[in-house]
Amino acid sequence: MMEIGLNHYLVLSTILFTIGLVGVMRRKNLLLLFFATEILLNAVNVAFAAISHYYGDLTGQMFAFFVIAIAASELAVGLGLLILWHKRHGSIDLDTMTSMRG
Amino acid sequence: MFEAIAFYLFAFLTIAMFYITVTTSQALYALSALAAGMIFISAFFFILGADFLGAAQIIVYTGAVMALYAFGMMFFDTTRDVKEKQGNEFIVVGFATFAAVLIVAIFAAPLVSTNMTAFYPMVEDAGNTQQVGMVLFTKYLIPFEVAAVMLLVAMVAGIVLAGKKMDKSLTLMNAEEIELLDASANTKVLS
């Protein structure tokens, strides 16, 4: 109980990932959907860093860095698109973004 | 002992902050809770000895990402409550838990095998930042450069997408001018 092992971190990562997935599934506002995806990426980063530490291998930390870089660039492009959409349509609700009929 | 106390404290704080982020109906509360959760996440990196990663987490997430979200939120109408679809919560939580356990199983499956050795073992007589530099600039040099190009592409894309017509304020124009602006923009795109 008092000794923190790899499993503690993996369980924590699972819980955070679950929270993020629940957010992705129930959010309709696209900005808040982005917040939930950031939680997902962070949960995976915790698992990477923990595995890296407990196995004495730096590859996990490297992947965590690349995940951070991907999160930053995803955010820049996504927020730009979101601002563009909000200027045109005045809403960032996911239900209103149905331009295709099928 | 102290490691355990720190782990449980920050685990509780992180889970609480992220729970607020996904459940609140106020976008500003969600932003603040997310920023706090990011800082608490970096505490785990410091506990795990990944000092450079923790510093990068604070700088990139709470410094850059949160500031960008705050700027983005100025464009959106964030004062009103966010309306959410009220579906079956149990199905959502069940699927999310299943998917998360699956992800962790995929991560942890290679660890079960006993003959696992470190691919790039940590050097003993070097700090974490030094180790990261040694690995990043030898074994992971090409992914590092590709990530740099990707960030450049994202920056250009962000400027091009969001910076369009920044010199004209849509709130200060009347409806006819906006119509005219839209019409000219559409013809430019179509031609």
Side-chain angles (χ1 to χ4, degrees):
Chain A
M1 184 66 184
M2 292 314 278
E3 195 62 40
I4 301 297
L6 178 57
N7 288 337
H8 287 77
Y9 284 98
L10 289 180
V11 167
L12 175 73
S13 175
T14 315
I15 293 170
L16 294 181
F17 201 85
T18 307
I19 292 173
L21 271 180
V22 169
V24 167
M25 284 198 241
R26 68 183 289 272
R27 283 297 190 196
K28 282 289 161 182
N29 189 305
L30 262 185
L31 191 69
L32 297 175
L33 198 82
F34 274 15
F35 288 178
T37 59
E38 301 291 335
I39 296 175
L40 292 181
L41 293 169
N42 268 289
V44 174
N45 270 356
V46 171
F48 273 137
I51 291 172
S52 164
H53 177 254
Y54 283 100
Y55 281 86
D57 191 340
L58 278 173
T59 312
Q61 289 184 31
M62 294 301 117
F63 270 87
F65 281 121
F66 293 132
V67 166
I68 288 180
I70 286 171
S73 44
E74 167 253 334
L75 167 80
V77 178
L79 214 56
L81 286 170
L82 215 57
I83 289 170
L84 202 65
W85 186 271
H86 189 263
K87 272 184 189 168
R88 291 224 174 133
H89 301 269
S91 161
I92 49 171
D93 203 36
L94 205 55
D95 285 337
T96 61
M97 293 188 181
T98 51
S99 58
M100 282 200 282
R101 305 264 179 266
Chain B
M1 177 65 187
F2 284 113
E3 190 195 354
I5 292 172
F7 175 80
Y8 285 116
L9 175 67
F10 283 113
F12 172 74
L13 283 172
T14 313
I15 291 168
M17 286 303 146
F18 284 165
Y19 180 76
I20 292 171
T21 305
V22 299
T23 51
T24 183
S25 61
Q26 292 273 341
L28 207 56
Y29 291 170
L31 181 82
S32 315
L34 186 63
M38 298 293 185
I39 291 185
F40 293 141
I41 284 275
S42 78
F44 292 115
F45 296 151
F46 288 125
I47 294 172
L48 287 167
D51 300 341
F52 191 72
L53 190 58
Q57 167 88 12
I58 291 181
I59 291 169
V60 173
Y61 271 115
T62 39
V65 169
M66 284 304 132
L68 211 53
Y69 272 134
F71 271 119
M73 277 172 69
M74 294 195 307
F75 288 94
F76 310 129
D77 186 15
T78 50
T79 47
R80 77 196 153 94
D81 277 11
V82 180
K83 290 275 190 298
E84 304 289 357
K85 166 191 69 173
Q86 291 302 321
N88 193 340
E89 292 282 311
F90 291 107
I91 292 176
V92 170
V93 173
F95 272 125
T97 310
F98 175 69
V101 169
L102 211 61
I103 292 282
V104 172
I106 291 168
F107 266 132
L111 307 179
V112 177
S113 66
T114 49
N115 58 350
M116 206 184 92
T117 52
F119 211 39
Y120 301 120
M122 292 189 182
V123 188
E124 287 306 319
D125 56 343
N128 176 257
T129 312
Q130 210 174 346
Q131 292 173 359
V132 165
M134 279 193 277
V135 177
L136 194 61
F137 289 110
T138 53
K139 311 284 184 191
Y140 288 97
L141 185 59
I142 292 176
F144 178 72
E145 298 293 342
V146 171
V149 172
M150 186 183 67
L151 282 170
L152 178 68
V153 169
M155 188 187 77
V156 173
I159 293 170
V160 168
L161 287 172
K164 210 180 281 178
K165 285 186 269 179
M166 276 287 190
D167 51 334
K168 299 184 181 65
S169 174
L170 289 177
T171 51
L172 295 179
M173 288 192 278
N174 52 31
E176 290 83 32
E177 283 174 333
I178 294 175
E179 287 284 323
L180 213 63
L181 204 67
D182 279 348
S184 64
N186 285 341
T187 49
K188 201 179 292 177
V189 166
L190 287 172
S191 61

